[in-house]
Amino acid sequence: MAQKQVTDQPSVQELIAKSSNKKQKQLVEKLIPIILFIIASISVLTTIGIVLTLIVETIIFFKDIPVFSFLFGTEWYPFANKEPAFGILPLIAGTLKVTIIAVIVAVPFGIGSAIFLSEYASDTTRRIIKPILEVLAGIPTIVYGFFALTFVTPLLQQFIPDLKIFNALSPGIVVGIMILPMIASLSEDAMSSVPNSIREGALAMGSTKLEVALKVVVPAALSGIVASVVLAISRAIGETMIVSLAGGSTPKFDFDVTGSIQTMTAYIVQVSSGDAGYGTTIYYSIYSVGFTLFLFTLVMNLIAHAISKKYREEY
């Protein structure tokens, strides 16, 4: 018996191996936080580098162009030979036209689709429809651009004879179609996370299914819905290929959606394609436009964060 107990005791080699494995695990535990910190730092440093680049190049631009005329000017003619004009308002107007039309298309259909998938569709229907809806998000934007130019615009011209080949209405509708899956998918996820006990309590009090969806589930998931809408709007503001192909390149400060426009992103594409030499005022103007675009999305994200924080529900 004593002899068996002696044989069951670990050998010196096993003790050394266990000690070595323990040291390796401790080393790994110490290295993992450092590696993760480096990864997080790279993301932060990249963001800081982008912002600093925009700021520095924008400052160079404003050495030649007054800030007031840039912010409040109603004419944008950077390629004019005699007196080039750098008023950003026409580009902002073109961007807002497309974005507002896209929001009008995407928000009702997106939230409506989310309500159907979350509250009315069966599990089988949801598993079929949701992936099909999300396929729209994977279509290249240049395909959307040609779709807007060659299909949507001729279709709209049958109902609006004055609609030009390049206009704000067609790309706005197609951008709305593009961001619709984002709103529908993220809003449906937010609604599905609402506990069923809340739905059952509302139904027990005599509410209809529609009342439960609109007056109980949607307010409870409002923070997620707002986040999805703001994310989609940011995506619409930053869209490039659709507006470049179907919107045109005519910056106008008006409210007409039937004529040619130019958005901030479309202008950046135009100049980046080689129309301006390095170091010229036109070259630096793309940074000022990019910085303006950055401020737009930053303000929207701050507003979305404030709204989400205000209406966030804890379960």
Side-chain angles (χ1 to χ4, degrees):
M1 192 73 178
Q3 189 176 14
K4 184 178 180 181
Q5 290 178 353
V6 172
T7 56
D8 289 341
Q9 292 180 352
S11 63
V12 176
Q13 290 81 1
E14 291 175 345
L15 291 172
I16 294 174
K18 287 183 179 180
S19 177
S20 178
N21 291 335
K22 187 176 181 180
K23 290 181 179 179
Q24 290 177 357
K25 290 180 180 179
Q26 291 176 347
L27 180 62
V28 170
E29 290 296 328
K30 291 180 180 179
L31 287 176
I32 289 298
I34 297 174
I35 294 172
L36 295 177
F37 175 77
I38 293 172
I39 294 173
S41 299
I42 291 173
S43 302
V44 174
L45 292 174
T46 302
T47 304
I48 293 174
I50 292 172
V51 174
L52 287 177
T53 301
L54 285 175
I55 293 174
V56 171
E57 304 294 343
T58 301
I59 291 173
I60 297 174
F61 171 77
F62 284 131
K63 288 181 179 179
D64 298 326
I65 304 299
V67 177
F68 184 85
S69 64
F70 174 78
L71 293 177
F72 301 102
T74 58
E75 293 183 347
W76 184 266
Y77 300 116
F79 296 99
N81 293 326
K82 294 184 178 180
E83 295 182 2
F86 291 92
I88 191 69
L89 288 181
L91 297 183
I92 293 177
T95 302
L96 291 180
K97 287 178 194 177
V98 173
T99 303
I100 291 172
I101 295 170
V103 169
I104 292 173
V105 172
V107 170
F109 287 99
I111 296 178
S113 301
I115 292 173
F116 170 75
L117 292 173
S118 174
E119 305 302 316
Y120 290 93
S122 62
D123 291 338
T124 303
T125 303
R126 188 182 300 109
R127 285 196 297 267
I128 295 173
I129 293 180
K130 191 173 180 180
I132 294 175
L133 190 63
E134 291 175 346
V135 166
L136 292 172
I139 298 177
T141 56
I142 192 169
V143 176
Y144 276 119
F146 282 116
F147 174 71
L149 181 63
T150 61
F151 179 80
V152 177
T153 297
L155 181 63
L156 292 175
Q157 285 176 332
Q158 297 180 10
F159 303 95
I160 309 175
D162 294 335
L163 188 69
K164 305 296 189 295
I165 291 294
F166 299 106
N167 57 82
L169 187 60
S170 175
I173 292 173
V174 175
V175 170
I177 295 172
M178 181 192 69
I179 64 176
L180 190 153
M182 185 182 298
I183 296 177
S185 180
L186 295 178
S187 298
E188 193 273 333
D189 291 339
M191 293 179 190
S192 297
S193 65
V194 176
N196 286 327
S197 58
I198 295 180
R199 295 180 177 87
E200 293 167 357
L203 291 171
M205 295 178 66
S207 301
T208 64
K209 203 162 187 178
L210 181 61
E211 290 174 336
V212 172
L214 297 180
K215 296 181 180 181
V216 178
V217 176
V218 170
L222 189 60
S223 62
I225 295 173
V226 170
S228 69
V229 171
V230 173
L231 183 63
I233 293 175
S234 299
R235 179 72 180 85
I237 290 176
E239 173 51 38
T240 303
M241 293 308 301
I242 297 175
V243 294
S244 297
L245 289 173
S249 57
T250 309
K252 293 180 180 179
F253 183 60
D254 56 28
F255 300 100
D256 181 25
V257 298
T258 62
S260 176
I261 62 167
Q262 187 172 44
T263 64
M264 290 186 279
T265 53
Y267 173 73
I268 293 173
V269 170
Q270 179 186 2
V271 177
S272 300
S273 62
D275 288 343
Y278 175 80
T280 61
T281 304
I282 298 175
Y283 169 79
Y284 288 115
S285 69
I286 65 175
Y287 291 97
S288 62
V289 174
F291 187 69
T292 305
L293 195 62
F294 168 75
L295 291 179
F296 262 81
T297 55
L298 178 62
V299 170
M300 287 180 51
N301 287 333
L302 292 176
I303 294 173
H305 178 74
I307 295 174
S308 299
K309 186 177 180 180
K310 181 178 180 180
Y311 292 102
R312 183 177 291 116
E313 299 286 347
E314 299 293 340
Y315 302 115

